[in-house]
């Protein structure tokens, strides 16, 4: 895929199983030229305890990506869901501490990988799950208010002025209220000189997410002039309510018709991206894992589904060829 695409093609991988799996590595090297860490670069792994930075896995990932000529993408700096318990406890006891912690965390982490990590999801999922408004169930919002979002961008930019800095979120391709709130926030950032350089659409979509809606939100996002990253693509047949364990099983097996329809959907997604996002704003398409054996969808939502382009036996599905043709 990397050879037919005009922009980087990425996959998110959890490094520890991945680095022990030669077949997965072979496929990853063959098809992808951008690497996102599945969980390894999240705060609870980088700073599991107060005062302890653990960069060992990220260093190993960087070595791997450099050996294989791949772009390393940083996921993520500030996210309510990957904030370790010790940070939440300490922030509640001593609210003044959180802002200085955020600054030192970002400066140390981004600074260490300055010019090696190409871009970062600086803030992930800072908005409410549905509709408009900031996410209130976040220690960052609770203690610092909405200003933590722009502060995180300033700190990241200071630590690496070349890094491409993203605001990343889910459902913004289909929840128009959420999308509008996000765009207003981003446009306000641009106007006030907050150093944001891109919008990440996670793009955990469903077979029934309308193509027309995806095209129009991507087009409006691209009108900001920022980089546009499809940062966590997968396509499910079933449903969930966006919470852990909240799956709704509708289809219990994968039929050839479903596989064909999914291939078309992957094709459509690539074509929409290519046609509505100007080429100099195409930061790339990243898949959140690329096989149905390891997909996060099954354990996280507690459903059986087939969201990716490779099956459980690491064989390419029709979806693989759909995506490939869409990129071509
Ligand atoms: C997911 C991982 O894939 C899971 O292993 C983990 O249990 C939860 O997080 N949006 C994101 C990603 O930004 O970081 C999430 O990754 C998937 C949803």
């Amino acid at each position: 895929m990397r050879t037919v695409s005009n922009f980087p093609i990425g996959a998110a991988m959890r490094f520890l199983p991945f680095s022990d799996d030669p077949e997965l590595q072979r496929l990853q090297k063959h098809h992808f030229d951008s690497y996102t860490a599945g969980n390894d670069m999240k705060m609870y792994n980088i700073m599991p305890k107060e005062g302890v930075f653990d960069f060992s896995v990220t260093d190993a990932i960087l070595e791997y990506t450099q050996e294989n000529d791949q772009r390393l993408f940083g996921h993520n700096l500030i996210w309510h869901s990957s904030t370790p318990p010790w940070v939440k406890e300490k922030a509640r006891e001593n609210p003044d501490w959180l802002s200085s912690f955020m600054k030192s965390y970002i400066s140390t982490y981004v600074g260490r990988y300055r010019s090696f990590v190409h871009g970062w999801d600086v803030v992930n999922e800072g908005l409410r799950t549905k509709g408009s408004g900031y996410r209130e169930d976040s220690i960052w919002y609770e203690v610092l208010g909405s200003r933590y979002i722009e502060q995180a961008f300033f700190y990241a930019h200071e630590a690496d002025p070349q890094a491409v800095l993203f605001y990343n979120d889910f459902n913004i391709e289909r929840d128009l209220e959420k999308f509008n709130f996000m765009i207003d926030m981003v446009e306000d950032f641009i106007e006030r000189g907050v150093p944001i350089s891109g919008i990440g659409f996670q793009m955990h979509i469903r077979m029934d997410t309308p193509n027309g809606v995806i095209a129009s939100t991507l087009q409006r996002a691209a009108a900001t002039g920022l980089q546009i990253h499809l940062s966590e693509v997968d396509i499910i047949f079933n449903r969930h309510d966006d919470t852990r364990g909240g799956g709704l099983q509708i289809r219990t097996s994968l039929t050839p018709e479903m596989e064909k329809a999914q291939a078309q959907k992957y094709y459509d997604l690539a074509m929409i991206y290519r046609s509505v996002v100007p080429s100099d704003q195409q930061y790339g398409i990243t898949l959140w894992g690329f096989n149905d054996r390891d997909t996060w969808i099954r354990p996280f939502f507690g459903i059986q589904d087939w969201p990716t382009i490779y099956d459980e036996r690491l064989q390419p599905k029709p979806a693989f060829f759909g995506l490939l043709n869409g990129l071509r």
Side-chain angles (χ1 to χ4, degrees), residues 39 42 75 79 124-125 202 204 232 244 288 296 300:
N39 288 323
K42 293 173 180 173
H75 176 82
W79 184 29
N124 194 31
E125 303 182 0
Q202 293 186 3
H204 295 292
E232 307 185 11
R244 195 182 282 273
W288 202 253
W296 74 295
F300 192 87

Side-chain angles (χ1 to χ4, degrees), residues 193-209:
V194 177
I196 183 170
S197 21
I199 300 172
F201 284 75
Q202 293 186 3
M203 217 45 101
H204 295 292
I205 60 174
R206 300 194 324 218
M207 287 298 295
D208 61 0
T209 310

Side-chain angles (χ1 to χ4, degrees), residues 214-223 228 270-279 281-282:
I214 297 175
S216 78
T217 48
L218 283 180
Q219 190 160 33
R220 284 181 59 202
I228 305 294
M271 290 295 278
I272 292 168
Y273 183 73
R274 291 176 59 194
S275 60
V276 308
V277 178
S279 56
Q281 290 168 257
Q282 292 169 345

Side-chain angles (χ1 to χ4, degrees), residues 19-302:
S19 56
D20 267 350
D21 190 327
E23 178 59 6
L24 213 53
Q25 276 193 33
R26 188 186 69 75
L27 293 171
Q28 195 272 349
K29 286 177 200 171
H30 186 68
H31 288 303
F32 300 96
D33 50 10
S34 182
Y35 189 111
T36 298
N39 288 323
D40 311 283
M41 290 174 71
K42 293 173 180 173
M43 189 183 278
Y44 63 80
N45 279 323
I46 295 294
M47 207 164 193
K49 285 194 271 186
E50 184 167 8
V52 180
F53 276 100
D54 183 350
F55 293 122
S56 57
V57 179
T58 305
D59 285 352
I61 295 174
L62 179 62
E63 198 182 313
Y64 174 86
T65 53
Q66 290 197 320
E67 270 168 16
N68 295 294
D69 205 16
Q70 300 182 357
R71 174 177 82 182
L72 178 54
F73 185 72
H75 176 82
N76 55 60
L77 294 174
I78 302 294
W79 184 29
H80 68 285
S81 191
S82 62
T83 308
W86 74 264
V87 171
K88 294 186 206 167
E89 280 154 28
K90 191 155 171 154
R92 289 209 172 93
E93 274 160 28
N94 180 5
D96 291 342
W97 165 81
L98 191 61
S99 175
S100 60
F101 167 70
M102 179 166 83
K103 183 171 200 293
S104 73
Y105 178 78
I106 293 178
S107 310
T108 308
Y109 189 11
V110 175
R112 178 181 174 93
Y113 296 107
R114 182 185 174 128
S115 85
F116 293 117
V117 170
H118 188 273
W120 290 93
D121 286 329
V122 176
V123 174
N124 194 31
E125 303 182 0
L127 303 185
R128 297 172 69 150
T129 295
K130 288 191 178 66
S132 70
Y134 296 105
R135 176 176 296 282
E136 283 151 12
D137 56 339
S138 159
I139 189 70
W140 305 95
Y141 184 85
E142 214 180 283
V143 173
L144 301 171
S146 62
R147 283 181 67 86
Y148 83 89
I149 301 180
E150 62 191 82
Q151 279 166 354
F153 279 92
F154 279 112
Y155 299 149
H157 182 66
E158 204 175 285
D160 185 352
Q162 305 300 325
V164 189
L165 304 181
F166 286 84
Y167 176 76
N168 192 53
D169 215 327
F170 64 93
N171 292 3
I172 50 177
E173 75 290 344
R174 60 178 182 269
D175 178 339
L176 297 182
E177 273 183 62
K178 184 168 181 172
F179 175 80
N180 287 333
F181 192 87
M182 185 276 300
I183 282 290
D184 287 349
M185 174 184 80
V186 165
E187 280 174 346
D188 172 58
F189 283 177
I190 297 171
E191 234 172 80
R192 290 189 296 110
V194 177
I196 183 170
S197 21
I199 300 172
F201 284 75
Q202 293 186 3
M203 217 45 101
H204 295 292
I205 60 174
R206 300 194 324 218
M207 287 298 295
D208 61 0
T209 310
N211 287 345
V213 175
I214 297 175
S216 78
T217 48
L218 283 180
Q219 190 160 33
R220 284 181 59 202
T224 60
L226 296 181
Q227 295 293 303
I228 305 294
H229 187 196
L230 307 191
S231 55
E232 307 185 11
V233 173
D234 45 29
I235 308 181
I236 61 171
F237 295 93
N238 291 292
R239 291 187 189 181
H240 56 69
D241 64 3
D242 297 299
T243 65
R244 195 182 282 273
L248 182 61
Q249 187 87 49
I250 301 163
R251 311 302 296 251
T252 49
S253 62
L254 181 64
T255 63
E257 291 71 39
M258 286 161 68
E259 289 201 300
K260 219 171 131 198
Q262 191 185 42
Q264 180 70 40
K265 194 77 178 170
Y266 268 99
Y267 174 86
D268 293 344
L269 187 63
M271 290 295 278
I272 292 168
Y273 183 73
R274 291 176 59 194
S275 60
V276 308
V277 178
S279 56
D280 60 348
Q281 290 168 257
Q282 292 169 345
Y283 192 73
I285 297 184
T286 298
L287 310 181
W288 202 253
F290 65 88
N291 69 77
D292 289 346
R293 182 191 70 188
D294 302 331
T295 175
W296 74 295
I297 294 284
R298 293 177 177 186
F300 192 87
F301 295 111

